[in-house]
C-alpha cells in the first residue's frame, strides 16, 4: 500500500529520519530547517501518523544493550483458512515484535506465519514460543525457532534524495 | 539506569507527542522536568541504550519494493556467499541463522522488477536456489521492550 507524499512531506521525512533534535521545541527546529511553518510541520506529522506512513514517534531501544540477546524467528505452518484470524492474535502478543504472513515453499519450507521473539536467553524465547503454540493450538502443524547467530549487515532502510536511492527509510528491522 | 531512564524506555516507545513543547508534555506525564527528559534521552542515545529517537517510518508506504529471502549455504562457502550478498546495495539486512536455511536477508529496491533482477543475480552468482518470501500480510510491527 503506497501513500503518495508531496515535496514538503519528503523534506520532513529527510529532516527527521535520522532522529528529532533534542531541544525544547524540536518541531520548530525541523520547520526552520526546511523553511516551513511549525504548525504546518506538526499537522503534516499528525497526518503521516494517521496514514501509517509514520508507525510511531518515540525512542527505539537497542535490544542488545537492554540484554535481549536471544533473537528467534519463529515460523509456523498454519492452516491457510485460519491465518487471517490467527495472525493478528499472534501479533498482539506482548512477546512478538513483528508478525507476517509469507508464502510457503513446499516441501522444504512449509511455514507461512513468521513471528519474531526476543529474550534475555534462549530459554525465555522458548517459553514465549510455547505461549504462541498454545494460542495457535491445532491450527499449527509444526513450527521451528531460527536463532540469529550473526548480524552480517544492517544498514536499515533510508529515504534518500538521489533517484537511485529513493525508498530508503529507517524502519523497524528484523533481527 | 535510573527510574527515569526506565520510564522513558517503557513508556516512550511510541506516543511521543506532536506539539510545540513535547518534552514538557512528557515531563508532566513522568512527573519530572523538560530539561531532565531531554538530558536523559540524550544520555541513553549516547550510551547506545537507545539506537534512535524520532519518527519510525514505514518504508513500504513511501514506495519501493521489499522482500525477505533465504539461502541454504554450504558451510565451506558461507563467508564467500555472505560477501556476495552483503555487497549488493539492495541488501538492507543480512543475518546468519541456525538452520539449514542459514542466510536470511531483506532486499529493498525501487520496483518489484528490480527485486526480481536482484534475486536472479544472487542465484546466478551463488549457484544456490533462493527462497523468496515476500510479505503477504503484516499483523503487527512494534518493539515493546519492557525493562
Amino acid at each position: 500500500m503506497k501513500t503518495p507524499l508531496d515535496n514538503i512531506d519528503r523534506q520532513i521525512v529527510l529532516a527527521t529520519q535520522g532522529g528529532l533534535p533534542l531541544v525544547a521545541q524540536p518541531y520548530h527546529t525541523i520547520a526552520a530547517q526546511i523553511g516551513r511553518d511549525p504548525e504546518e510541520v506538526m499537522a503534516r506529522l499528525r497526518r503521516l501518523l494517521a496514514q501509517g506512513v509514520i508507525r510511531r514517534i518515540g525512542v527505539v531501544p537497542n535490544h542488545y544493550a537492554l540484554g535481549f540477546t536471544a533473537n528467534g524467528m519463529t515460523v509456523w505452518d498454519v492452516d491457510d483458512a485460519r491465518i487471517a484470524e490467527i495472525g493478528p492474535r499472534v501479533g498482539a502478543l506482548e512477546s512478538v515484535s513483528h508478525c507476517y504472513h509469507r508464502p510457503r515453499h513446499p516441501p522444504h519450507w512449509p511455514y507461512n506465519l513468521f513471528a519474531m521473539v526476543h529474550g534475555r536467553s534462549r530459554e525465555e524465547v522458548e517459553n514465549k514460543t510455547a505461549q504462541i503454540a498454545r494460542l495457535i493450538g491445532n491450527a499449527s502443524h509444526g513450527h521451528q525457532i531460527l536463532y540469529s547467530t550473526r548480524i552480517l549487515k544492517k544498514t536499515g532502510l533510508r529515504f534518500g534524495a538521489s533517484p537511485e536511492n529513493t525508498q530508503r527509510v529507517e524502519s523497524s528491522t528484523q533481527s | 539506569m535510573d527510574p527515569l531512564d526506565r520510564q522513558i524506555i517503557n513508556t516512550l516507545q511510541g506516543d511521543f507527542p506532536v506539539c510545540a513543547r513535547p518534552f514538557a508534555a512528557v515531563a508532566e506525564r513522568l512527573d519530572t522536568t523538560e530539561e531532565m527528559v531531554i538530558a536523559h534521552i540524550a544520555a541513553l542515545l549516547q550510551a547506545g541504550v537507545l539506537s534512535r529517537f524520532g519518527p519510525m517510518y514505514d518504508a513500504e508506504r513511501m514506495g519501493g519494493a521489499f522482500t525477505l529471502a533465504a539461502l541454504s549455504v554450504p558451510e565451506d562457502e558461507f563467508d564467500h556467499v555472505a560477501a556476495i550478498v552483503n555487497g549488493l546495495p539492495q541488501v538492507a539486512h543480512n543475518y546468519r541463522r541456525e538452520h539449514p536455511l542459514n542466510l536470511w536477508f531483506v532486499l529493498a529496491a525501487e520496483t518489484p522488477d528490480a527485486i526480481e533482477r536482484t534475486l536472479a543475480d544472487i542465484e546466478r552468482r551463488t549457484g544456490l536456489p533462493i527462497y523468496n518470501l515476500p510479505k503477504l500480510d503484516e499483523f503487527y510491527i512494534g518493539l515493546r521492550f519492557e525493562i
Side-chain angles (χ1 to χ4, degrees), chain B residues 117-131:
Chain B
R117 282 197 302 274
T118 306
L119 291 169
D121 188 37
I122 293 171
E123 280 199 326
R124 187 179 51 75
R125 290 171 62 184
T126 63
L128 299 169
I130 207 157
Y131 285 69

Side-chain angles (χ1 to χ4, degrees), chain B residues 92-114:
Chain B
H93 308 135
N94 188 14
Y95 289 89
R96 179 168 184 149
R97 294 191 181 276
E98 275 179 17
H99 189 270
L101 281 171
N102 51 1
L103 195 70
W104 289 79
F105 45 94
V106 174
L107 298 181
E110 298 211 19
T111 62
D113 274 1

Side-chain angles (χ1 to χ4, degrees), chain A residues 1-3 5 13 16-17 19-20 22-28 42 46 51-63 65-66 68 73 83 87-88 91 93 96-103 105 108-109 113-114 116 118 120 122 144 146-157 159 163-167 169-175, chain B residues 1 8-9 12-23 34 38 41-42 45 48-68 78-79 82 85-89 91-99 101 103-104 106 108-110 130-147:
Chain A
M1 195 183 330
K2 312 293 185 211
T3 305
L5 301 184
V13 174
T16 58
Q17 67 181 348
L20 285 177
L22 291 166
V23 296
Q25 297 193 302
Y27 304 117
H28 286 61
M42 289 191 275
R46 290 189 199 105
Q51 290 172 330
V53 173
I54 297 176
R55 292 182 189 279
R56 61 185 178 274
I57 305 179
V59 300
V60 181
N62 171 350
H63 53 266
L66 294 180
F68 291 83
M73 182 172 76
I83 197 156
L93 289 173
V96 172
S97 65
H98 304 64
C99 188
Y100 301 103
H101 179 198
R102 297 187 184 278
H105 284 248
H108 299 299
W109 190 259
L113 185 73
F114 286 56
M116 301 297 305
H118 305 269
R120 293 175 183 83
R122 290 197 176 192
Q144 290 195 313
L146 280 70
Y147 288 105
S148 63
T149 52
R150 246 169 84 199
I151 300 173
L152 300 161
K153 185 175 185 182
K154 189 170 183 175
T155 52
L157 305 169
F159 193 85
E164 291 81 34
N165 213 6
T166 48
Q167 80 298 323
V169 171
E170 182 83 19
S171 75
S172 24
T173 56
Q174 301 211 10
S175 55
Chain B
M1 209 171 305
I8 286 170
I9 290 167
L12 221 55
Q13 290 179 41
D15 294 331
F16 184 75
V18 180
C19 61
R21 300 282 291 271
F23 295 101
E34 184 181 41
I38 292 173
I41 292 175
L45 282 165
V49 175
L50 299 180
S51 53
R52 60 190 302 276
F53 162 67
M56 188 70 108
Y57 287 96
D58 179 348
E60 290 179 55
R61 297 256 182 174
M62 309 178 59
F66 302 83
T67 197
L68 173 70
F78 190 88
D79 289 345
V85 171
N86 277 356
L88 296 167
V91 174
H93 308 135
N94 188 14
Y95 289 89
R96 179 168 184 149
R97 294 191 181 276
E98 275 179 17
H99 189 270
L101 281 171
L103 195 70
W104 289 79
V106 174
E110 298 211 19
I130 207 157
Y131 285 69
N132 182 24
L133 301 160
K135 180 173 90 180
L136 302 176
D137 204 354
E138 173 182 302
F139 300 116
Y140 182 77
I141 291 193
L143 297 170
R144 292 164 296 194
F145 292 108
E146 288 267 350
I147 56 162

